[in-house]
Structures are given as C-alpha cells and as structure tokens.
Amino acid sequence: MRSWGVSLSGTGSATIYETPLLLLHGFPLDSSMWDGQLGFFKDKYPLLCPDLPGFGASRKGAPETIEGFAEDIKAFLDENKLDKVILAGFSMGGYVALAFYELFPGLVEKLALIDTRAGGDSAESKAGRNRAVESLEAEGTGFFAETMPRLLLSEEGMKNERLLNDVCGMISRQKPASIKNALIAMRDRKERGFLLEKINVPVLFVCGEKDVLTPPSEMEKMAETVKGGSFRLIKGAGHLSNMEEPEEFSSALLDFLSG
Ligand code: MLT
C-alpha cells in the first residue's frame, strides 16, 4: 500500500482535510504504477494506492471475480473507517471501480475511469484470456513480462528504457496464481455499460492518445453517456497513460479534484 496525507486507523500522523483519492492499479501490475502520482500529489492532495488482493505486497489471494476485488476495497475502507472516497481505477482497476460503484454508490464522491471500459469481454477476448491462462501455466509470468509491455506502452514509451524496465519488473514480480485468477475475473466480468447512464456523481474519463487496448474513441463515447462526464486525452501516451506522462496525467486528475 502506498499513501500520502491520510491517517489510517492509528497509523501515520496526517489528518484528512479532503475526501481521499483512492487509486486502483491495473493488470498484472501493483500499486507501484502510481509512484509518479504519489510524488505529484504530495503536499497537494491525500492519496491512497492499495495493492489489490494477490498483487504487490498484498498477502491475500486474488479473487476470481471483479466483485471480489470490489468487496476487498470495501473491507479496506471499513478497516480504516473511511466513509467516502474519490475512486479512480486504471484498466482492470476501472472494472473494479465500476463494480464498487454499483455495489456501494454511497461511498463514492467522484469517479475517475482511466484507460478502461464498461463493457464485458467479447467472445474473442474471452478466448484470448483462456489462451493467456494456458501460456501462464506453460511459461510462467515471464510470458506476460515479454508480451504485455508493447500493449501497455506507446512506441515512444517502449524506447524509454527506465520506463520499460519498471513495467517489466512490476509484471515479473506478480504471482502466477493471482494473474490466473485475475484473468478469470476479467474474462467473466459483468457487462456494466448500463451503469453509465445511472451514475450520479461526476466522472472523469482519462485515456492515452495512443492506447491500443481501450482507445480514446471508445472512452469518449463512454464520457458522453454519463451525465456529469468529462474526458481528458493524454497526448502521446499509450494505455499506461499515468506512467508515460505522469505530469499531464496528474494535472488532469488534480483539475478534476478541485473542479
Ligand atoms: C489492464 O491493463 O488492467 C488490462 O489490460 C485490462 C484487460 O486486460 O482487460
């Protein structure tokens, strides 16, 4: 768990003056994907970046459903006596954020959906998840560290050695059992397009200009469906927009928080 400016049930010393921003990481990553945001938001806004169960420093097993991940976030809020958050989710974290909103709308003050989608997996995507499980079982985590970066990063991002190493390192650290369960959870996740029209809190949609997994055109359409929806394009970035363009990304979030 990474955090700044939030006192969690007796640990830490800072006081919360505002509703904390809780950032949910993507697949197969962990809370270190938000390190750039922790630096940016320090002294500006309280931030919580938990590891989803099974990932990063979490000692729990990963659930096999997106709702299971959302329930874990609810337990985290309960443990820490937090009754309101601004919830932001990147990609798989966005699936979890939407499920959380559906289950516990009263706990969400604002929502940010980052390089993600509301729909479920197509038949083709589900088949791809099954193939990924087979590759994981045959080749281990290395398969993901090798194949995923070029989907997560833009061509420019792939040339940035430090960034590429960070992403590969993060993927390599994750447990195969957690990767498998998360693949199953994403494959079988509920289609939540219907929820967009029902959301009655402000929602920011953020997308990297060169995101090939959840393209900007798709996210812009989602933003138009939501009553209080707004859209920010992160120029030049791929799917991992917050890691490729941390300043521009963080400024978009800060504008949303103060807007
Ligand atoms: C992610 O970045 O979390 C994943 O690419 C999401 C997915 O595979 O659907």
Side-chain angles (χ1 to χ4, degrees):
M1 227 281 288
R2 288 160 164 79
S3 69
W4 181 84
V6 190
S7 175
L8 295 176
S9 57
T11 59
S13 57
T15 312
I16 309 173
Y17 294 108
E18 287 117 327
T19 308
L21 170 64
L22 193 145
L23 295 171
L24 300 177
H25 64 79
F27 167 89
L29 308 171
D30 61 31
S31 61
S32 67
M33 70 166 277
W34 303 116
D35 282 354
Q37 281 62 56
L38 274 163
F40 180 96
F41 280 97
K42 191 157 167 42
D43 298 324
K44 292 193 184 79
Y45 203 89
L47 208 60
L48 286 166
C49 311
D51 285 307
L52 287 169
F55 291 88
S58 160
R59 294 182 176 196
K60 301 177 186 168
E64 285 187 347
T65 62
I66 292 297
E67 291 76 13
F69 284 104
E71 295 281 357
D72 186 79
I73 295 301
K74 168 72 163 65
F76 170 78
L77 296 196
D78 288 348
E79 271 161 36
N80 293 293
K81 304 194 173 19
L82 294 165
D83 54 12
K84 222 33 155 193
V85 285
I86 296 175
L87 188 60
F90 164 76
S91 205
M92 182 180 82
Y95 309 156
V96 177
L98 269 180
F100 185 94
Y101 181 81
E102 187 182 17
L103 291 168
F104 314 108
L107 301 180
V108 181
E109 190 172 298
K110 291 180 180 185
L111 201 53
L113 296 172
I114 303 155
D115 297 274
T116 190
R117 56 167 53 92
D121 265 12
S122 63
E124 197 187 338
S125 303
K126 282 181 197 284
R129 304 279 191 206
N130 291 336
R131 283 195 300 277
V133 169
E134 282 166 19
S135 303
L136 177 72
E137 283 168 350
E139 297 170 46
T141 310
F143 166 78
F144 289 86
E146 213 162 279
T147 55
M148 280 208 71
R150 73 182 75 102
L151 298 172
L152 298 176
L153 300 173
S154 68
E155 268 180 45
E156 276 308 301
M158 286 294 285
K159 291 181 198 152
N160 179 337
E161 214 172 304
R162 189 192 48 77
L163 177 63
L164 185 58
N165 281 341
D166 283 353
V167 172
C168 289
M170 207 188 324
I171 296 174
S172 308
R173 286 198 297 273
Q174 308 311 322
K175 300 179 196 78
S178 302
I179 294 183
K180 181 176 174 181
N181 286 5
L183 282 167
I184 293 168
M186 290 192 289
R187 180 194 66 193
D188 298 341
R189 77 185 185 278
K190 181 173 160 183
E191 129 76 44
R192 288 197 166 82
F194 74 93
L195 193 59
L196 296 177
E197 282 179 10
K198 300 184 180 196
I199 297 178
N200 59 11
V201 296
V203 188
L204 173 68
F205 293 81
V206 186
C207 191
E209 184 187 18
K210 298 184 175 161
D211 185 344
V212 290
L213 292 177
T214 50
S217 55
E218 203 177 308
M219 290 210 68
E220 244 176 313
K221 267 194 210 127
M222 283 164 67
E224 283 161 16
T225 317
V226 175
K227 224 178 310 136
S230 56
F231 176 76
R232 284 285 286 262
L233 185 74
I234 307 299
K235 288 241 175 69
H239 189 59
L240 259 173
S241 55
N242 74 303
M243 287 186 78
E244 281 201 49
E245 296 295 340
E247 285 285 317
E248 196 184 331
F249 174 91
S250 304
S251 300
L253 264 188
L254 189 60
D255 289 349
F256 177 59
L257 296 171
S258 44

